[in-house]
Amino acid sequence: MANFFRSISLKIFGVSLGLLVIMAGTALWSAGLTNQVHLELRTLTRSLFPLTLKLSDLHRVARAQARHAASSLDTRDEAAVRACRAIADNQGKSAARLVDEAESLRALGVRLAFLQRNKLELARLEPMIAELGYQERILYRMTLESCGVATGDIPGTQQQALAVERLAENMTSEIKAFAAEGALLVGDNQKRAMQVNLLMIAIASLVGLMLAWLVGRGLTRPIVRLQAGARAVSSGSLDAEVPVTSRDEIGDVTRAFNAMLVDLREKERIKETFGQYVDPRVVAGLIGGGQHSTVGEKQVATLFFSDIAGFTSISERLAPSTLVDLVNAYFSEMSLPIRERSGIIDKYIGDSIMAFWVPPFVEANQQAELACAAALDQFARLDAFRARVPDVIGLRRDVPLIDFRVALASGEVVVGSIGSSQARSFTVMGDTVNFAARLEGVCKVYGTRLLIDGATRDMAGHAIEAREVDRIAVVGRDEPVSIHELAAMAGELPPGRRKLFDLYAKGLARYREGRWDEALKAFEAALACDPEDGPSRTLSARALRFKSDPPADWDGVWRMTSK
């Protein structure tokens, strides 16, 4: 049935038409039954009941004739005889008229009768009425003759009157019984008609409900399937294709839904494929047509640069295929913390990773904290990765020691899809990008593994543990910038490192004031806590040199002379 109609409107129209036909049939059936009862009632009211009254009247007239015959004159008075005959004549004429009217009512009943039993009964009355008329005419003649002694037969007239009276009475009783039986039959038929009407209405309602249920089921089942498919899609399943079971609007929607699934699967395949080359969120934006994917705009971002320490020597020791396996394993391991912390990996440059955190991919007030957490997670994974290196490169001896340096810098950049009409990349540009790349190289100067700039330190706030290392001015940038060594997330700094940081901060303050002896003492105390502390060794060496050869115009800023 669902495929019978081509549109929902036709389905609804079909149901309505079906219900209308059923109700019309029920109404016609009910009208037929009602008309049958009406015809039976009409036979009773217009024929049988009046016929009973006419016969009753004829019975009374016959009785009056009998009384008149009993009181007929036995005289020769012509006036009295005429008066007697006038009464008899009037009674005879009344009786004849009643007989004629009774026959007319009987004939009318035959014409009106609906039931065969009524027709037969009324037909049976015809000779009886005729006989009654014949006997009444005899009585009429005898009543006339009974007025006067010369011609009257009073006893015979009385006997004839009694015969007419009995015949009329018998007919009246019979018709009354038949009319009463007919009335009961009409009542039964009326009750039966009402019951049949109710039954037909119930059947029509049931059939209508079944039709409505069938059509409603045909409409709702594909909608329920569509709903289930939509829920499956919302939960991430793109395999829930919905079968097309109708050729109406719902069928069109189902086909459109399946086409949408094909499109979504294709987009998902593209995302999975290009997600290996570009961050999946950027791919989603490119596929979805997000504005941030195509329009460049200025935003504050946190930049990430990392570099494997001593990579050149490592590459010289390994075969090209082995080197590729090692670098791929390293990138796979170190990319996870970045993506887990909502960072976007911009590109892999040789052995370096460039990434950034920027709205709308992260909240602006969280980007620096997330970048710091990702960098610390990378170093936390380093020991486990080093243990895997022999399996990755297939060597058990002369295994290279993997280490890396990281720099984080925050500032205003241009974010957008940048490139030619043939090839584009979603990336960031600006002075902050250049500075972050150079800051990674500054790690080698201070013997550190993880440096962040002052802007990143301020944005991360109390979420991290870091110490200020120095104020520097990189090549191509005159404005000095404070640099900090990121040590841990808040509350995770060991007590020994806290003491080292405090001693270093004291030495840094004296160093900036040009109080070289006091700075040397503080740095030596810091080295006593950790002889391998790179910043303490670096600034201790500078303080010792400046002690013997003080710089001119010292402002506490170290100016880099190379990139």
Side-chain angles (χ1 to χ4, degrees):
M1 185 174 181
N3 289 324
F4 184 76
F5 298 110
R6 284 189 171 272
S7 69
I8 295 175
S9 59
L10 284 176
K11 289 181 180 181
I12 297 174
F13 175 77
V15 172
S16 302
L17 182 61
L19 291 175
L20 183 61
V21 170
I22 292 172
M23 296 308 295
T26 302
L28 290 175
W29 182 277
S30 175
L33 293 176
T34 304
N35 184 60
Q36 178 180 341
V37 173
H38 170 71
L39 292 176
E40 293 175 7
L41 285 174
R42 189 173 64 171
T43 303
L44 290 174
T45 57
R46 296 179 61 182
S47 176
L48 291 178
F49 290 160
L51 179 59
T52 302
L53 295 177
K54 294 299 180 183
L55 292 175
S56 297
D57 292 342
L58 185 59
H59 177 265
R60 288 192 297 272
V61 171
R63 184 174 296 174
Q65 287 176 314
R67 289 195 299 269
H68 182 66
S71 61
S72 295
L73 297 175
D74 185 11
T75 180
R76 295 183 182 278
D77 186 355
E78 291 296 330
V81 170
R82 285 196 298 272
C84 178
R85 289 184 174 180
I87 294 174
D89 184 60
N90 288 334
Q91 289 176 340
K93 289 180 178 179
S94 295
R97 177 175 55 78
L98 290 173
V99 171
D100 292 340
E101 290 178 355
E103 174 58 25
S104 297
L105 290 172
R106 185 206 65 80
L108 177 62
V110 172
R111 293 195 302 272
L112 295 179
F114 177 78
L115 297 178
Q116 190 65 28
R117 64 180 292 279
N118 292 344
K119 291 180 179 292
L120 292 175
E121 181 66 19
L122 289 169
R124 192 173 67 85
L125 291 176
E126 182 178 8
M128 296 175 67
I129 294 176
E131 176 64 19
L132 180 62
Y134 173 74
Q135 295 296 332
E136 176 57 36
R137 286 193 295 275
I138 293 176
L139 176 62
Y140 170 62
R141 186 175 62 252
M142 293 179 70
T143 303
L144 287 176
E145 291 176 355
S146 67
C147 293
V149 296
T151 58
D153 184 4
I154 294 175
T157 301
Q158 290 179 335
Q159 291 179 357
Q160 182 66 25
L162 291 174
V164 171
E165 184 179 346
R166 283 195 298 272
L167 181 60
E169 184 178 4
N170 291 336
M171 288 183 65
T172 301
S173 299
E174 184 174 346
I175 294 176
K176 282 183 178 180
F178 181 74
E181 183 180 354
L184 291 176
L185 182 62
V186 169
D188 292 339
N189 289 341
Q190 187 173 10
K191 183 178 179 180
R192 188 178 300 110
M194 183 175 296
Q195 292 173 343
V196 171
N197 284 339
L198 293 176
L199 179 62
M200 289 300 298
I201 291 174
I203 293 174
S205 300
L206 180 61
V207 173
L209 288 174
M210 290 180 63
L211 285 175
W213 180 79
L214 288 173
V215 174
R217 187 166 177 261
L219 292 175
T220 56
R221 286 182 66 185
I223 292 176
V224 170
R225 286 194 290 265
L226 277 173
Q227 184 183 42
R231 287 177 177 172
V233 171
S234 66
S235 64
S237 174
L238 300 180
D239 299 325
E241 187 166 331
V242 180
V244 179
T245 58
S246 63
R247 293 180 293 175
D248 54 17
E249 292 87 347
I250 297 178
D252 294 339
V253 173
T254 304
R255 283 186 285 271
F257 179 82
N258 291 334
M260 179 194 71
L261 283 181
V262 173
D263 186 53
L264 288 175
R265 284 196 290 265
E266 181 65 19
K267 288 184 177 181
E268 191 64 25
R269 186 187 65 81
I270 293 173
K271 286 172 62 178
E272 290 177 356
T273 302
F274 286 94
Q276 302 175 13
Y277 301 90
V278 184
D279 188 278
R281 289 168 294 172
V282 177
V283 176
L286 291 170
I287 295 175
Q291 183 178 0
H292 66 269
S293 63
T294 56
V295 178
E297 56 181 337
K298 285 187 176 182
Q299 293 194 71
V300 174
T302 298
L303 278 299
F304 172 102
F305 279 88
S306 71
D307 189 40
I308 297 178
F311 181 74
T312 301
S313 63
I314 294 174
S315 63
E316 291 173 350
R317 293 161 53 188
L318 299 177
S321 60
T322 304
L323 181 64
V324 170
D325 291 340
L326 177 61
V327 171
N328 286 343
Y330 167 78
F331 283 155
S332 297
E333 186 72 25
M334 299 307 162
S335 297
L336 285 175
I338 296 175
R339 290 187 172 177
E340 288 174 354
R341 302 289 182 171
S342 302
I344 295 177
I345 296 177
D346 187 294
K347 58 179 69 73
Y348 300 106
I349 310 169
D351 61 312
S352 302
I353 300 175
M354 175 185 172
F356 58 88
W357 282 257
V358 68
F361 304 105
V362 293
E363 296 294 332
N365 60 352
Q366 293 182 335
Q367 62 187 42
E369 178 184 347
L370 291 171
C372 291
L376 291 171
D377 285 349
Q378 286 181 324
F379 285 104
R381 291 170 176 262
L382 184 57
D383 289 339
F385 177 73
R386 285 172 175 171
R388 291 174 46 215
V389 169
D391 295 330
V392 173
I393 64 177
L395 296 175
R396 290 295 179 269
R397 294 185 301 174
D398 196 22
V399 177
L401 180 64
I402 303 297
D403 201 358
F404 60 94
R405 297 178 294 268
V406 176
L408 300 174
S410 299
E412 191 175 75
V413 296
V414 176
V415 185
S417 181
I418 298 168
S420 66
S421 57
Q422 290 79 28
R424 303 178 71 85
S425 173
F426 184 76
T427 186
V428 291
M429 298 187 304
D431 181 62
T432 303
V433 180
N434 298 329
F435 174 71
R438 293 177 186 178
L439 184 59
E440 185 274 321
V442 174
C443 287
K444 292 184 286 185
V445 175
Y446 290 90
T448 58
R449 302 165 73 194
L450 181 48
L451 286 179
I452 64 176
D453 68 344
T456 304
R457 176 70 183 86
D458 293 340
M459 290 174 65
H462 298 294
I464 61 173
E465 300 283 358
R467 63 167 165 174
E468 184 177 5
V469 173
D470 201 357
R471 286 178 62 81
I472 65 172
V474 297
V475 176
R477 191 174 189 182
D478 296 331
E479 182 182 357
V481 177
S482 63
I483 59 174
H484 303 254
E485 182 185 19
L486 177 61
M489 298 304 290
E492 299 178 3
L493 185 67
R497 296 293 290 175
R498 175 70 65 189
K499 180 179 179 182
L500 172 65
F501 284 7
D502 292 341
L503 292 171
Y504 183 84
K506 181 179 178 181
L508 181 60
R510 301 297 179 266
Y511 168 80
R512 286 175 175 171
E513 294 171 358
R515 298 160 66 176
W516 312 119
D517 289 331
E518 296 179 22
L520 280 169
K521 290 180 181 180
F523 290 140
E524 288 173 358
L527 287 171
C529 295
D530 182 7
E532 300 300 322
D533 184 50
S536 297
R537 295 172 62 181
T538 300
L539 266 63
S540 177
R542 288 183 192 170
L544 183 60
R545 188 178 68 186
F546 290 161
K547 178 181 177 181
S548 59
D549 184 16
D553 299 327
W554 174 248
D555 58 359
V557 176
W558 181 259
R559 288 172 172 78
M560 308 295 293
T561 58
S562 64
K563 296 183 179 181

